[in-house]
Amino acid sequence: LIGNLLVLFFAGFDTISVTLGITIQRLLEYPEVQEKVFEELQTIFPEGTEEITWDKVHECSYLDMVVQESLRYKNLFPVTERSCTKDYNIPGTDFVIPAGRMVKIYLTGMMEDENNFKNPKEFDPDNFLPENKPNKFAFQAFGQGPRACIGYRFAMFNMKMGLISILRHYRVVMGEKSNRT
C-alpha cells in the first residue's frame, strides 16, 4: 500500500510539472487566453483575497478548460495499452480480439477528430464548453472508465493551484530565448 501511494505521489509530480510547462507555453503563445484566465481569477479572487480554497479553485471553470485543452492539444501520452480480458467482437465486423491480447489505442486521432471537438486542430479552450459537446471519451489525458488515472483530481487541483498562484499576480510573456512550438 505504501509503495503504491509513493508511486502515485512521485509520478504525479512529474506529469504535473510537465503539464504546467505545456500550459504556460500555450499561455505565452495565446495572450488572449491568458487575459481571459486573468479576468476569471480577478473575479474569483478579488484584490486582497489571499486564501485559495478548494471551492474557489473549482470555480475556475475557464482555467480548467485551459488545462484540459493544453493536455488535449499536446497530449503527453499519445498511445495507451490495455489487455483484453475476454474475447471481444468488434461491432460491425467479424474480427474478434482474443482474451489476453494486448491492444494499443492511439489517442491523438480521437483528440484531433472534428466529430469529438469543435475546433480540434487549434488550441481552443472553448472546445470544452458544454454547448460545444466535447466527447468526454475522446479526451484521454487521464484515461476513462475503470482504468482512469486515480490521480486525476490530485493532478488537476495541483495544476490549477500552481497556475492560480502565478497568474493572479503575474503575466507570462515571451522572452528573447522563449521556444515557440
Side-chain angles (χ1 to χ4, degrees), residues 33-113:
V33 172
Q34 184 176 173
E35 186 59 33
K36 284 181 77 172
V37 169
F38 181 77
E39 289 170 7
E40 177 181 70
L41 295 179
Q42 293 305 301
T43 301
I44 296 170
F45 302 98
E47 184 87 24
T49 304
E50 289 304 317
E51 188 177 34
I52 302 173
T53 64
W54 175 268
D55 292 333
K56 293 283 188 189
V57 169
H58 288 289
E59 286 180 39
C60 300
S61 57
Y62 189 73
L63 180 62
D64 188 69
M65 293 188 312
V66 169
V67 172
Q68 289 185 74
E69 180 64 2
S70 295
L71 287 164
R72 185 203 65 81
Y73 186 68
K74 292 287 185 186
N75 189 4
L76 292 176
F77 305 103
V79 161
T80 190
E81 283 186 334
R82 294 292 182 256
S83 177
C84 190
T85 58
K86 60 183 178 183
D87 289 353
Y88 179 75
N89 184 302
I90 296 178
T93 72
D94 54 351
F95 185 80
V96 175
I97 301 171
R101 170 80 45 94
M102 289 301 292
V103 178
K104 283 190 178 204
I105 303 162
Y106 294 88
L107 306 172
T108 304
M110 289 190 293
M111 292 206 229
E112 293 180 353
D113 189 328

Side-chain angles (χ1 to χ4, degrees), residues 18-38:
V18 170
T19 302
L20 283 172
I22 290 170
T23 303
I24 288 173
Q25 180 71 33
R26 296 290 84 73
L27 294 173
L28 287 170
E29 294 171 352
Y30 298 90
E32 67 282 1
V33 172
Q34 184 176 173
E35 186 59 33
K36 284 181 77 172
V37 169
F38 181 77

